[in-house]
Amino acid sequence: MVLHRPEEHAGTSMALIGYARVSTEDQETISQLDELKAAGCRVIFEEKASGASRARPELAKAIAHVQRGDILVVARIDRLARSLSHLLEVIERLEVVGGHFKSLRDPIDTSTPQGKFALQVLGAAAELERALIRERTVAGLKAAKARGRVGGNPALKRRDPEAIAQLSAIRDRQYMADLLASMEAWLPKVRALRPTKSWGSVAKSLGRLGSPDQPWTADRLSRAVRRLVAEGLAEPELINPAPRKPPKDDILLVIAGIKGADPNLSLRAIAARLEDLRIRTPRGGTTWSASSVKALLDRADQAGLVPSSPPQERTSSSKAQ
C-alpha cells in the first residue's frame, strides 16, 4: 500500500522510495515509516508478510516504481530480505533499470563505491553459503540412504488434509515468487499486445521469453496475467476479451443488419459501429475503413442480405434532397 505520494520526480532526477515490512498482522510499521520519512522517502510501500516469503506484492510494486537514478530504501536489510540470495536478486533487478538500494542501519548504499564494495563482499558470502548448503544436503541424503531411510512426507502419504493444504499454500507462494521474478521479462510485451490479440497469439509471440524451461501456452499465460491483475501488479484491461474475428458470412450479416436498422448511416458510421462491437476486419485488424465497409456492403447487397428501403422512404428521401 502506498502511504505517502506527493508529486513524484518533481524537479529532481532521483527519488527515494521506501519499503516497510512486518511479519504479522499484529505488528506495526510505525517506527520504520518514521525512519523512512525522516530519510526523505517520498513514496513508501507498506507490507505485512513473512520475510522468508518472496511472494510479496507490495515489494514487487516498490521495485516496479523505481526508475533510473531512484533509490529503494529500507530501515534495515532484514525488512527487505532474510537471505543473501534474495537480497542480491532484488538489487540485481534494481540495477537493470538503473536504480539503487540503501539500508539506513546497514553499510549498504549501492549508489556509492563503499556500498558497492560491501555488496560484493555479501555476494561472495552468499556464494559460499550456497556451496555449503549443497554439500550438507548431499551428505545428508547419502547418510539417510545408507541407513535405509526413504525420503517423503508421511502426512502427505496418508493424504492428511492439513498437510495437503500446507503443500498447496507453499506451491502457491512459490508460483507467485516465480511470477514476481520473471514478470519484467514478459509482461511489457503482454501489455503491448493485449487485449487486441488473443491469449494464444500472445503466448506464441512470447515463446520462451521469461519462461526458459517451457514455452508459454494460452492457458498458462492467461492464468499468470490474471494472478498479477488480482494482486494489483497489472492493469485489469489486460484480461478483457480479445476482439472476435467472425467468419466472413457473419461479417456480412452484421454489416447488413447495421445498414438495415438505419439505412441513412454513412460508411464511416458503420465502420465506427463495427469497431464499437470489437469485430475484426477480414484480415484480423481492429480498425475499419470506409472502403472495407463498402466492399462488404456491396457483397451483402448482392447476396440479398440488405433489405430494400420502402418506396415511401425512397420518395421522401429524394424529395428531401
Side-chain angles (χ1 to χ4, degrees), residues 6-26:
E7 287 298 319
E8 298 165 24
H9 301 274
T12 179
S13 60
M14 180 191 75
L16 299 180
I17 298 166
Y19 174 73
R21 182 191 64 80
V22 290
S23 298
T24 68
E25 292 290 338
D26 297 333

Side-chain angles (χ1 to χ4, degrees), residues 19-40:
Y19 174 73
R21 182 191 64 80
V22 290
S23 298
T24 68
E25 292 290 338
D26 297 333
Q27 296 174 310
E28 296 293 339
T29 58
I30 296 175
S31 61
Q32 295 178 55
L33 297 179
D34 290 343
E35 290 185 57
L36 294 172
K37 289 177 182 178

Side-chain angles (χ1 to χ4, degrees), residues 193-198 237-246 251 254 258 270-281 284-288:
L193 297 176
R194 286 287 304 168
T196 304
K197 300 293 184 182
S198 67
E237 54 267 25
L238 294 180
I239 59 176
N240 287 344
R244 63 188 185 92
K245 182 182 178 182
I251 297 177
V254 172
I258 294 174
I270 295 175
R273 293 276 183 90
L274 292 171
E275 291 173 3
D276 289 341
L277 292 171
R278 301 176 67 82
I279 294 177
R280 292 189 179 187
T281 67
T286 57
T287 303
W288 284 84

Side-chain angles (χ1 to χ4, degrees), residues 86-112:
H86 188 202
L87 173 64
L88 296 174
E89 176 189 311
V90 170
I91 293 175
E92 183 177 351
R93 290 170 63 185
L94 294 173
E95 289 179 341
V96 168
V97 297
H100 305 287
F101 170 73
K102 179 178 182 179
S103 173
L104 298 178
R105 298 194 192 179
D106 302 285
I108 296 182
D109 181 348
T110 61
S111 64
T112 67

Side-chain angles (χ1 to χ4, degrees), residues 254-272:
V254 172
I255 289 179
I258 294 174
K259 183 67 174 178
D262 189 349
N264 296 321
L265 278 179
S266 67
L267 295 175
R268 293 191 181 279
I270 295 175

Side-chain angles (χ1 to χ4, degrees), residues 9-190:
H9 301 274
T12 179
S13 60
M14 180 191 75
L16 299 180
I17 298 166
Y19 174 73
R21 182 191 64 80
V22 290
S23 298
T24 68
E25 292 290 338
D26 297 333
Q27 296 174 310
E28 296 293 339
T29 58
I30 296 175
S31 61
Q32 295 178 55
L33 297 179
D34 290 343
E35 290 185 57
L36 294 172
K37 289 177 182 178
C41 291
R42 305 169 63 183
V43 180
I44 303 175
F45 291 82
E46 179 186 16
E47 189 150 53
K48 295 190 177 183
S50 169
S53 172
R54 299 194 182 189
R56 286 185 253 158
E58 293 301 317
L59 175 58
K61 292 176 187 177
I63 295 172
H65 200 84
V66 173
Q67 301 178 23
R68 178 169 296 278
D70 291 350
I71 302 177
L72 179 66
V73 184
V74 295
R76 302 189 308 274
I77 284 183
D78 65 350
R79 298 302 88 196
L80 177 69
R82 287 287 182 84
S83 68
L84 286 175
S85 61
H86 188 202
L87 173 64
L88 296 174
E89 176 189 311
V90 170
I91 293 175
E92 183 177 351
R93 290 170 63 185
L94 294 173
E95 289 179 341
V96 168
V97 297
H100 305 287
F101 170 73
K102 179 178 182 179
S103 173
L104 298 178
R105 298 194 192 179
D106 302 285
I108 296 182
D109 181 348
T110 61
S111 64
T112 67
Q114 297 87 347
K116 287 183 178 179
F117 175 74
L119 183 62
Q120 290 173 353
V121 173
L122 283 176
E127 182 58 35
L128 176 61
E129 179 186 35
R130 286 192 292 269
L132 292 174
I133 290 174
R134 284 195 296 269
E135 286 184 9
R136 288 196 296 267
T137 301
V138 172
L141 290 174
K142 286 182 178 179
K145 188 175 181 181
R147 293 194 298 271
R149 294 178 58 185
V150 180
N153 189 320
L156 285 177
K157 291 179 180 179
R158 297 195 307 269
R159 307 294 297 172
D160 180 71
E162 184 176 349
I164 294 174
Q166 289 178 351
L167 179 61
S168 177
I170 291 171
R171 287 176 174 171
D172 183 71
R173 287 196 297 271
Q174 184 58 52
Y175 173 71
M176 191 61 198
D178 291 341
L179 286 185
L180 294 177
S182 67
M183 60 185 281
E184 291 180 4
W186 54 269
L187 188 57
K189 192 163 187 177
V190 173

